[in-house]
Amino acid sequence: EALGEGDEAFTVVVLGASGDLAKKKIYPSLFRLKQNGWLPSKFSVVGYSRSHMTDEEFRARVCSHKDAENLSTFCPNNHYVSGNYDSVDDVRKLSAEIAKYEAQMGGKRSNRLFYMAVPPSIFVPTARALRQAAMSPTGWTRIVVEKPFGRDLESSRLMQRELGSLFAEDQIYRIDHYLGKEMVQNLNILRFSNVFLRPLWNHNYISSVVITFKEDIGTEGRAGYFDHYGIIRDIMQNHLLQIMALVAMETPVSLSSEDIRDEKVKVLRAVPPLSAKDVVVGQYDGYLTEPDVPADSVTPTFAVARLHVNNTRWAGVPFILRCGKALNERKAEIRIQFRDTANFLFPGALPNELVIRLQPNEAIYLKIMNKAPGMSHDLVQSELDLTLANRFTEAQAQLPDAYEHLIRDVIRGDHSLFVRSDELDVAWRIFTPMLHELEEGKKKPIQYPKGSRGPSEGYQMMVENGFRYTSSDYKWPNA
Amino acid sequence: EALGEGDEAFTVVVLGASGDLAKKKIYPSLFRLKQNGWLPSKFSVVGYSRSHMTDEEFRARVCSHKDAENLSTFCPNNHYVSGNYDSVDDVRKLSAEIAKYEAQMGGKRSNRLFYMAVPPSIFVPTARALRQAAMSPTGWTRIVVEKPFGRDLESSRLMQRELGSLFAEDQIYRIDHYLGKEMVQNLNILRFSNVFLRPLWNHNYISSVVITFKEDIGTEGRAGYFDHYGIIRDIMQNHLLQIMALVAMETPVSLSSEDIRDEKVKVLRAVPPLSAKDVVVGQYDGYLTEPDVPADSVTPTFAVARLHVNNTRWAGVPFILRCGKALNERKAEIRIQFRDTANFLFPGALPNELVIRLQPNEAIYLKIMNKAPGMSHDLVQSELDLTLANRFTEAQAQLPDAYEHLIRDVIRGDHSLFVRSDELDVAWRIFTPMLHELEEGKKKPIQYPKGSRGPSEGYQMMVENGFRYTSSDYKWPNA
Amino acid sequence: EALGEGDEAFTVVVLGASGDLAKKKIYPSLFRLKQNGWLPSKFSVVGYSRSHMTDEEFRARVCSHKDAENLSTFCPNNHYVSGNYDSVDDVRKLSAEIAKYEAQMGGKRSNRLFYMAVPPSIFVPTARALRQAAMSPTGWTRIVVEKPFGRDLESSRLMQRELGSLFAEDQIYRIDHYLGKEMVQNLNILRFSNVFLRPLWNHNYISSVVITFKEDIGTEGRAGYFDHYGIIRDIMQNHLLQIMALVAMETPVSLSSEDIRDEKVKVLRAVPPLSAKDVVVGQYDGYLTEPDVPADSVTPTFAVARLHVNNTRWAGVPFILRCGKALNERKAEIRIQFRDTANFLFPGALPNELVIRLQPNEAIYLKIMNKAPGMSHDLVQSELDLTLANRFTEAQAQLPDAYEHLIRDVIRGDHSLFVRSDELDVAWRIFTPMLHELEEGKKKPIQYPKGSRGPSEGYQMMVENGFRYTSSDYKWPNA
Amino acid sequence: EALGEGDEAFTVVVLGASGDLAKKKIYPSLFRLKQNGWLPSKFSVVGYSRSHMTDEEFRARVCSHKDAENLSTFCPNNHYVSGNYDSVDDVRKLSAEIAKYEAQMGGKRSNRLFYMAVPPSIFVPTARALRQAAMSPTGWTRIVVEKPFGRDLESSRLMQRELGSLFAEDQIYRIDHYLGKEMVQNLNILRFSNVFLRPLWNHNYISSVVITFKEDIGTEGRAGYFDHYGIIRDIMQNHLLQIMALVAMETPVSLSSEDIRDEKVKVLRAVPPLSAKDVVVGQYDGYLTEPDVPADSVTPTFAVARLHVNNTRWAGVPFILRCGKALNERKAEIRIQFRDTANFLFPGALPNELVIRLQPNEAIYLKIMNKAPGMSHDLVQSELDLTLANRFTEAQAQLPDAYEHLIRDVIRGDHSLFVRSDELDVAWRIFTPMLHELEEGKKKPIQYPKGSRGPSEGYQMMVENGFRYTSSDYKWPNA
């Protein structure tokens, strides 16, 4: 796909350039995109934030540790401008600077991508300033926005309404970086190009779907921010629900962004809102003594929720979303457990499971029963496995970071992996009642030790929803 | 399972002890059974054939190259007796010798297993002599018989009728050593303990089943014998059809021998007899100049046949059996190709395939479509793989020879992996009309070069039956 | 089909000719068979019992009330012989009489059918006398036997073993007259020639199967006999279980008697034996005061049992058999209720039901939800109906009695609708433990008023097994 | 449902009040709505057309032949205004008249429904005049528009764009009166509240879907109009395609208008555009000599088209739309034929068919195979039947006219049974290329006699698409 023809100049403006996200994710991704030839040939990168820095100071910050060759092609196109985000005057100056670089690059049209890595509180004012003073006069203008998209249905609607009055829906790219992960992108291909999954993908064969995100670290200095949102808003309501939508949605009529997002909205509308009884929440020991955390905080750092999809395909199948910090391991995966009914010939057989491992060590594996090799007639649990790092050459298996993938999609104008306004709305509709109940103290978080598997009540909920833990003898060999 | 209690003596008599089968398969298997503790503690092995040899001469023949420890436990229990197979007097002497060893072993009961590694022409007379003069007076007597079981329906019925007048069906173990192969034994477990295969295992999802046996060697000195039978009788009518029955049969009501064999007979009864038009036959270049081969022989060394199973599950699904000698590789596998209907979103997707690799390198793999890793949105064909040698420890993955497994089953009295009389009958019913047509010259074998893939007409038949060859880019990594 | 060629004489001997069954069922059926041309042209009917009668006296008994024409063709071929059933001498005289009629009829071969309408206690001695003294010397000899076939597994095995030593299995026709009913015979056609039922006929779609037999009369003078057996042995273990086997069995490989009965045995082997907790038993008020009934009898006159079929198709689906005397109506039917999962769009929809009505008013109807006609958008329960009497012309809809059908099958040598020895065995295996528990007093029958629907515990058991009673608004219009 | 509260006045304005549609359909429907209590209590009906008439003259035209009671309640509320449709001044006068009646009726709000029974050529100008001069100042304003909605994709888009600039989509009710038919409205209930249809409703079980509209009359004086459009535009592209969309669409997430129409659009987007080779067209003998028909007209009066739905559910299933005038009967029906694969036990069985009879004699019946009643073991084709007139009481079975239903829906604001702009677009996308090819003379209509079944090539196309005509012995008894 064309990433901008030769006669179009492209500028990406990173608002919040001095922040963590910019440093850890956005600049490295831009750099690799350049390195791999995915940036338009006429490009410039403009950092913008309140701090005063020269271009050189800024480059030193974002261009260190790079190989020589690319330093010479990527870094010189990096610029820095300082100003207030919500000041129309400052933003007008920014625009003038951009225009200067655009003039240098030449080209018939100049396209501008504003990456909004700014705090949620100044999000809308910043967008307003951009709208007033920094739109591209000749090419497209797109904005990338990062969660949090509000705190609940009401605040989200307010934000989207305001944003919608400033930019058209197709100019807005709401990023959910989980959608950029290799194995998440693989989901549609896996589901819709493999006939063998078709008759299985429904309540007659699937017993439960568990979508897990586990971190082995705590809030790591972000405790103040985190405490304001909690794990459900930070991970579950967006990342995990987006993955669930991709797992559960019906076949779209085409692979276009809009058709896929129509299906995601459709399936999420069939999910009844959660209440506090559908969730187990936890908080790791020591969280309350972290800086900026109120001593009486009830913010969950761990949560397991059980959702249902009230349609023909999924009637009665629990979807378990679970996520937590400071746990025993770092892992994200989708685990689809099949029913084990009618195994009268082999009563000891364990249910099949299809596991899509998102990170680390991306893989798909299908747990099966097999004959124990040799003289024995016993069953043994094993798996049909596709671990990317084992199967593909090193070059192939070196997967791009999700941000890299997504920024490229913005440049290409592909909305498939971004969250549409109505998706956001339906996601908040599901979670808001439960979040409010939690905040009203209807359910207190259960303490759990750092480095543990979280409170046992989480496991309990899975078992009550039919999840069968398989024998402790089994271990995926590539874990 | 008990392999004979401590107070039972066990004697295996190898008739045809000086022959190739005895040397290459039976004695090594008996040795390994002993080595691994699968023989009863009170055992003796008696070789019988026309050649004159002392016990020592015979032991030198069958007990060479073994490790010291087992030499001391296995070989001393080996004896040899010479005589004519069909002579009641000679067999009576054999029985007296056996009785002598039985007396030495002690035990309340003495069980006798006669392994009939003798030419088909003297098969029934030998059985008659055994019946008259060598039955165990105190324990069970079982006979193991090897193919060929006749040349066609009529000769097979005659042989089985005669055999049936001498031994009860449950005393007769008709060996098909393919049934003892690890992955063939795995079939029932795979099919009936894995729920994910259930909705797939029928004509709505399976497009074709191909069962392949390829040898890279020719007749290797057995040309005289081989020319009398040909590849269809030697491989297809027994080994491949048995595997097909296990792939196609309905769920048995239990895992007992009789219930499994009832289902095999049931499904084979739904297979209409073949005629010459359902088969492609070939003969490798140079075959006609091999010793003992008539210059005008039309015996096939290669064959592809297309069978159908006329029942609800398999309506319209071709079962392709193919086998050949002097081909490009040595391989035996079951390949189940799924339909590729309705792939409108990914028109380039190739159909799923479940491959059960029997030899070499035993494996199960399911070919799937996957996202090409990285920035690309392309599809790539890959697989979910379970290769036994990779997945299991060395000890686990060292699979017993099929004969080892089967001889042990005879000792245990387990008929599951042996061919029942009515199975044989229905197998011949399917193949006899076609074989007669071939012998009447209705279809001549097509010449093919040694080391080739066989005549292209074989591939043509597969393609005409809906088999889709996948792109040449794909290669199973463990081949 | 040929019912005996012109050169074969046919004699049916009715043992127990003076009894009720002979009068009510056997003779009327023979008469109608003659009337409709289904008897061989050379035939005679010989009645045999202990009472002394002349041919004329006997004819007066069985040939009254018949139309003139058939009186002249049927009755003259009726004869009577008196004697003891178990006396070899008497039976030899009977045979001589038969031979006399055979000689009169002429023909190359003479076939003899002995219909054993005799009490169970003298059943085996009678068969022994027939075997010794009355076998046809030139044609076939067949015996028709009526239930009860023993009282439990042990007594049944004894009887079948004795019978099996006298007659070959293919000479024995164990009658279960329910198998001769029009709609029971229709079952195989309905199930295996209508594609629309195929994907529905399993646990994913069927919620429960209820097989009902209700009589509005009590024991009607048979109380002495009945009390010895009870409703479970009289109706459930044979009639209802046979119907269940036909509903539940897998597709046979052909429509031959043996293949169908193989499948019935296979499916019944997957039914675990019942215990007292799987059954509700009742006894109608007043039963204990009927003649020949012990005052403390615990014989059930009503029973509901819940069976399972432990195979892939039926896992978890309750099969409810229920039967009773002195109830509110006379009705026999099979009711297959479908699951109502996943009805999120129409939560008020009631589950589909397929009803096969055996008697009275033979019909098949499928209860469906439909739009209430007119302006309303409401749902209304209705049905797709096939009531034989409405759909077919009067002549077509005049269905033969089950006995008529079955006697014709005996003459034709068709065993399809008769019970094979191993079927009997597996049926008793299911019921014997529960019957013994009942007899040990583990569960007492619940009293219910005559003319009622039986004890409410029976309904309770259905509801606990997922049966949903539909609204009282619905009534099948042809009831 | 509320049809306007007591304090809302309701006026329906029939534009084209002197025309045929008004006389035959609109006024009778309004009258019956009043009669059955479905009109708001405060209502008035205003006829508008170019002809000059007094209220009385007009009432005489539309209110004749009515029963006395209703004459007194319905007719007095009927008024008439004359004027040009596209004259803003005239329409302003009409609005003033309406306002006068509204004042008389009283109520807080006044709602206006404009029924546009006007020629297509002045359709947009009329709408423009209404927009400018006749909108309700206090309540809602809705317009009902009748086909033709353009002649092809381009003209339709133009019309919808113009209309869309005047009225919001939710003010526009595009009528397709077939959607108001009882059995068409039943489709969603039938499909989504009956579990038994679920596993059947896809390409594995359905062989073809045939949607038929047959008239036994010719153009009946409308030849001039008809010749301009032809049967494909008049019947197939709207009525039959709408029915096809309801048969083929996926389950909507709710029963709301928008969700249902989303699914209809989705499924129609999966239908590839037709070309001339996908259609058989005919013209009845004598058509060319009818008044206003050009002598060389190639306008089809009969057409059969074969469509496909390229999605997972319907892959490979032909949807046959066929319609014609001057044929042997008047009938509209949906015929879903099931596959007949795998009928090895009953090779003579004919495929099941589900027939939904739209008119006359509304019914649902499922053709099945059944045992021929009586002694025979033969199969006979019969059906499970639900004929509304037989099953429901007279009152229930007296179905409202489609127009009656639809006008009521407009009043209630229910868009479910009306065609949305994007549905129209996708419908034209399917038909336009083929229509243009026909008009370019790529395929000439085949002559057929009046009163025949149409050209045999139509039947040929069905047979080539796998439709199996059943034996001539079968006839639906309620036809």
Side-chain angles (χ1 to χ4, degrees), chain A residues 186 194 369-370 383 391, chain B residues 186 194 352 369-370 383 391:
Chain A
N186 203 345
N194 288 297
M369 296 312 291
N370 200 52
E383 71 293 303
R391 179 59 174 82
Chain B
N186 203 345
N194 288 296
N352 293 130
M369 296 312 292
N370 200 53
E383 72 292 304
R391 179 61 174 83

Side-chain angles (χ1 to χ4, degrees), chain B residues 372-388:
Chain B
M375 280 296 193
S376 163
H377 288 97
D378 289 349
L379 300 190
V380 66
Q381 193 168 29
S382 182
E383 72 292 304
L384 297 169
D385 187 82
L386 172 58
T387 297
L388 296 196

Side-chain angles (χ1 to χ4, degrees), chain A residues 120-318:
Chain A
S121 56
I122 55 161
F123 186 76
V124 169
T126 307
R128 192 174 291 120
L130 291 174
R131 182 74 190 83
Q132 286 184 260
M135 301 299 281
S136 165
T138 57
W140 50 252
T141 302
R142 293 171 185 160
I143 61 170
V144 174
V145 300
E146 282 268 352
K147 65 171 185 178
F149 307 123
R151 283 183 55 76
D152 56 13
L153 185 56
E154 196 183 359
S155 57
S156 167
R157 282 187 175 166
L158 180 61
M159 177 187 281
Q160 299 315 316
R161 201 157 48 230
E162 291 179 327
L163 196 58
S165 72
L166 300 168
F167 292 90
E169 180 67 23
D170 68 3
Q171 294 181 294
I172 303 168
Y173 291 76
R174 286 174 203 85
I175 215 164
D176 184 323
H177 71 272
Y178 257 65
L179 295 179
K181 288 192 177 289
E182 178 70 17
M183 297 310 283
V184 177
Q185 291 195 59
N186 203 345
L187 274 174
N188 280 350
I189 292 178
L190 194 64
R191 284 192 57 196
F192 301 124
S193 74
N194 288 297
V195 170
F196 84 96
L197 289 175
R198 279 202 206 140
L200 294 165
W201 215 257
N202 60 67
H203 69 116
N204 282 338
Y205 291 97
I206 291 179
S207 161
S208 65
V209 177
V210 181
I211 300 172
T212 299
F213 168 95
K214 293 167 85 174
E215 275 187 325
D216 53 2
I217 56 172
T219 61
E220 302 289 295
R222 290 170 67 242
Y225 164 83
F226 181 86
D227 192 69
H228 190 51
Y229 289 98
I231 195 84
I232 295 174
R233 287 185 178 92
D234 200 42
I235 302 292
M236 190 184 279
Q237 181 265 355
N238 33 58
H239 303 327
L240 301 195
L241 191 71
Q242 283 289 326
I243 293 170
M244 172 176 159
L246 289 170
V247 169
M249 75 182 189
E250 298 296 306
T251 315
V253 66
S254 86
L255 293 170
S256 80
S257 314
E258 296 314 311
D259 288 330
I260 290 173
R261 298 195 292 183
D262 279 355
E263 294 302 332
K264 284 163 69 187
V265 169
K266 183 181 169 188
V267 78
L268 292 178
R269 287 179 55 205
V271 178
L274 294 170
S275 71
K277 71 175 167 31
D278 301 314
V279 71
V280 169
V281 284
Q283 195 183 69
Y284 62 79
D285 292 340
Y287 174 77
L288 293 178
T289 62
E290 296 193 3
D292 302 324
V293 173
D296 60 352
S297 169
V298 295
T299 298
T301 63
F302 172 95
V304 181
R306 192 252 347 270
L307 292 80
H308 276 109
V309 180
N310 282 347
N311 65 17
T312 306
R313 184 184 293 278
W314 295 114
V317 180

Side-chain angles (χ1 to χ4, degrees), chain A residues 43-182:
Chain A
F43 81 96
S44 64
V45 182
V46 180
Y48 184 78
S49 73
R50 278 177 295 225
S51 321
H52 289 279
M53 278 186 277
T54 62
D55 278 12
E56 284 65 35
E57 283 167 344
F58 184 70
R59 282 176 196 159
R61 198 179 155 85
V62 297
C63 288
S64 57
H65 314 302
K66 302 287 151 41
D67 69 272
E69 186 199 334
N70 283 287
L71 276 174
S72 65
T73 61
F74 180 70
C75 282
N77 295 299
N78 266 269
H79 310 283
Y80 182 76
V81 178
S82 72
N84 283 316
Y85 299 116
D86 54 356
S87 156
V88 174
D89 288 347
D90 288 2
V91 166
R92 186 165 291 123
K93 284 178 208 152
L94 166 64
S95 185
E97 283 293 301
I98 296 168
K100 196 177 69 184
Y101 305 128
E102 288 171 344
Q104 288 166 8
M105 290 187 279
K108 286 194 197 151
R109 271 190 302 281
S110 298
N111 301 321
R112 296 181 179 180
L113 187 170
F114 293 98
Y115 199 116
M116 310 262 283
V118 301
S121 56
I122 55 161
F123 186 76
V124 169
T126 307
R128 192 174 291 120
L130 291 174
R131 182 74 190 83
Q132 286 184 260
M135 301 299 281
S136 165
T138 57
W140 50 252
T141 302
R142 293 171 185 160
I143 61 170
V144 174
V145 300
E146 282 268 352
K147 65 171 185 178
F149 307 123
R151 283 183 55 76
D152 56 13
L153 185 56
E154 196 183 359
S155 57
S156 167
R157 282 187 175 166
L158 180 61
M159 177 187 281
Q160 299 315 316
R161 201 157 48 230
E162 291 179 327
L163 196 58
S165 72
L166 300 168
F167 292 90
E169 180 67 23
D170 68 3
Q171 294 181 294
I172 303 168
Y173 291 76
R174 286 174 203 85
I175 215 164
D176 184 323
H177 71 272
Y178 257 65
L179 295 179
K181 288 192 177 289
E182 178 70 17

Side-chain angles (χ1 to χ4, degrees), chain B residues 405-470:
Chain B
H405 212 119
L406 292 169
I407 292 171
R408 177 168 161 255
D409 281 354
V410 180
I411 303 172
R412 294 161 63 228
D414 182 348
H415 269 87
S416 305
L417 302 176
F418 296 86
V419 180
R420 208 167 57 186
S421 168
D422 52 354
E423 283 186 86
L424 199 56
D425 206 75
V426 72
W428 279 120
R429 189 189 55 72
I430 296 169
F431 281 92
T432 296
M434 181 262 275
L435 285 166
H436 287 178
E437 284 186 86
L438 292 185
E439 276 147 19
E440 291 156 9
K442 292 234 172 104
K443 194 163 221 167
K444 288 269 175 351
I446 300 158
Q447 298 297 112
Y448 64 94
K450 281 188 185 181
S452 73
R453 293 166 170 271
S456 64
E457 286 84 348
Y459 285 82
Q460 199 54 37
M461 176 174 263
M462 289 174 66
V463 170
E464 282 162 9
N465 281 281
F467 187 81
R468 272 185 66 182
Y469 279 95
T470 55

Side-chain angles (χ1 to χ4, degrees), chain D residues 268-289:
Chain D
L268 292 178
R269 286 179 55 205
V271 177
L274 294 170
S275 70
K277 70 177 167 31
D278 301 315
V279 71
V280 169
V281 285
Q283 194 185 69
Y284 63 78
D285 293 340
Y287 174 75
L288 293 179
T289 62

Side-chain angles (χ1 to χ4, degrees), chain C residues 11-82:
Chain C
T11 303
V12 52
V13 182
V14 182
L15 299 114
S18 61
D20 245 29
L21 181 68
K23 183 172 182 186
K24 286 191 187 152
K25 291 292 179 184
I26 304 171
Y27 276 95
S29 294
L30 289 169
F31 173 73
R32 278 193 305 272
L33 285 169
K34 171 64 194 163
Q35 200 171 20
N36 293 314
W38 296 117
L39 286 191
S41 53
K42 295 176 179 163
F43 81 97
S44 64
V45 182
V46 179
Y48 184 79
S49 74
R50 276 174 296 221
S51 322
H52 290 279
M53 276 185 278
T54 63
D55 279 12
E56 282 64 37
E57 283 166 346
F58 184 70
R59 281 176 196 157
R61 198 179 154 86
V62 298
C63 287
S64 57
H65 314 302
K66 301 289 149 49
D67 70 90
E69 185 200 335
N70 283 285
L71 275 175
S72 65
T73 62
F74 179 71
C75 284
N77 295 296
N78 267 268
H79 311 282
Y80 181 76
V81 177
S82 73

Side-chain angles (χ1 to χ4, degrees), chain C residues 246-317:
Chain C
L246 289 169
V247 169
M249 75 182 190
E250 298 297 306
T251 316
V253 65
S254 86
L255 294 170
S256 80
S257 316
E258 296 314 311
D259 288 328
I260 290 173
R261 299 195 293 184
D262 279 353
E263 294 302 333
K264 285 163 70 185
V265 170
K266 183 180 169 189
V267 78
L268 291 179
R269 286 180 54 204
V271 177
L274 294 170
S275 70
K277 71 176 168 28
D278 302 315
V279 70
V280 168
V281 284
Q283 194 183 70
Y284 61 79
D285 294 340
Y287 173 76
L288 293 178
T289 62
E290 295 192 4
D292 303 323
V293 173
D296 60 351
S297 169
V298 294
T299 298
T301 63
F302 172 94
V304 180
R306 191 254 346 271
L307 292 80
H308 276 109
V309 180
N310 282 348
N311 65 17
T312 306
R313 185 184 292 279
W314 296 112
V317 180

